[in-house]
Amino acid sequence: MKTRVFLLLLVAFSCELARAEEENEAEELQVETLVQPESCAMISEIGDTLKIHYTGKLMDGKVIDTSLSRDPHSLELGARQVIPGLEQSLVGVCEGQKIKAIIPSHLAYGKRGFPPTVPGDAALQFEVEVITLSRKTPFEKMIRSLLPTMCLALLPGLLCLIGVYIYKRGSAERPEKKKAKDKKSKKK
């Protein structure tokens, strides 16, 4: 009897371990290189601009979106212009490279999905070909990172100047009133 209970618990534990391993695999981003160019002059990194052709599918093979019938899709890595899993899979690729990414639901559209094409908790599969890869110059990167900060820093000063201007304009005597007072005093 004890042996049977022990074997039953062992089998249940083994099944639970196998199920947990399957779930962990489904929760990780998987990227496979389909076509690797002969030479790779530049590897993509955050801030780079890519032009890509892609085909997105559900795991059952149903196509949810494709750019093959349009111009290549242009995106800047790190700007959150696509789902997080696709963006992560495009870091470290070369121009001319073709990849296949299996994206778990939490890196795609999550529990809500994207009705009516993507149901909730759906893992997605994307095949992506990198058409072009361009990197910003250090000056462009600096301007892009400093400009918003400078605008935020200058905004209070600008608002202060506007306030002072409005205050001075409101508290100054108006020349029209002086002329009217002068005319009244001359008539008397």
Side-chain angles (χ1 to χ4, degrees):
M1 179 70 174
K2 289 182 181 181
T3 309
R4 288 182 186 169
V5 171
F6 177 72
L7 286 175
L8 185 61
L9 287 173
L10 184 63
V11 168
F13 183 71
S14 298
C15 289
E16 184 62 28
L17 275 178
R19 187 183 66 76
E21 285 180 12
E22 287 176 8
E23 284 181 6
N24 286 343
E25 289 177 3
E27 290 182 8
E28 295 177 7
L29 175 65
Q30 300 171 15
V31 181
E32 174 187 348
T33 299
L34 301 176
V35 175
Q36 181 70 37
E38 290 181 18
S39 65
C40 183
M42 190 172 23
I43 295 176
S44 66
E45 55 188 44
I46 299 295
D48 291 347
T49 301
L50 303 175
K51 285 194 178 184
I52 60 170
H53 270 305
Y54 66 90
T55 300
K57 303 176 186 176
L58 296 174
M59 295 309 287
D60 65 3
K62 179 183 173 192
V63 175
I64 57 169
D65 192 15
T66 184
S67 69
L68 295 176
S69 59
R70 306 184 296 256
D71 289 337
H73 181 70
S74 180
L75 67 111
E76 181 182 334
L77 291 178
R80 298 180 180 177
Q81 297 170 336
V82 293
I83 58 175
L86 183 57
E87 189 169 64
Q88 290 174 21
S89 67
L90 291 171
V91 174
V93 296
C94 300
E95 190 171 304
Q97 186 171 348
K98 190 171 185 178
I99 62 168
K100 177 181 176 183
I102 297 176
I103 302 169
S105 66
H106 71 276
L107 292 175
Y109 294 104
K111 294 184 185 295
R112 289 185 186 180
F114 192 74
T117 54
V118 181
D121 285 329
L124 302 176
Q125 176 182 330
F126 275 83
E127 287 189 15
V128 182
E129 180 181 5
V130 181
I131 308 298
T132 62
L133 167 63
S134 60
R135 183 158 292 150
K136 291 187 170 132
T137 64
F139 179 73
E140 288 174 321
K141 287 181 182 179
M142 181 185 70
I143 292 296
R144 177 101 187 210
S145 65
L146 287 179
L147 192 60
T149 307
M150 288 176 53
C151 288
L152 284 175
L154 294 175
L155 186 62
L158 182 61
L159 290 174
C160 237
L161 288 173
I162 292 171
V164 167
Y165 173 76
I166 291 172
Y167 175 76
K168 285 186 176 182
R169 187 164 183 205
S171 63
E173 275 193 49
R174 300 185 185 207
E176 299 151 3
K177 288 183 179 179
K178 280 186 175 180
K179 288 179 184 177
K181 287 180 183 178
D182 291 339
K183 286 181 183 178
K184 286 181 182 177
S185 61
K186 287 182 182 179
K187 287 181 182 179
K188 291 182 181 179

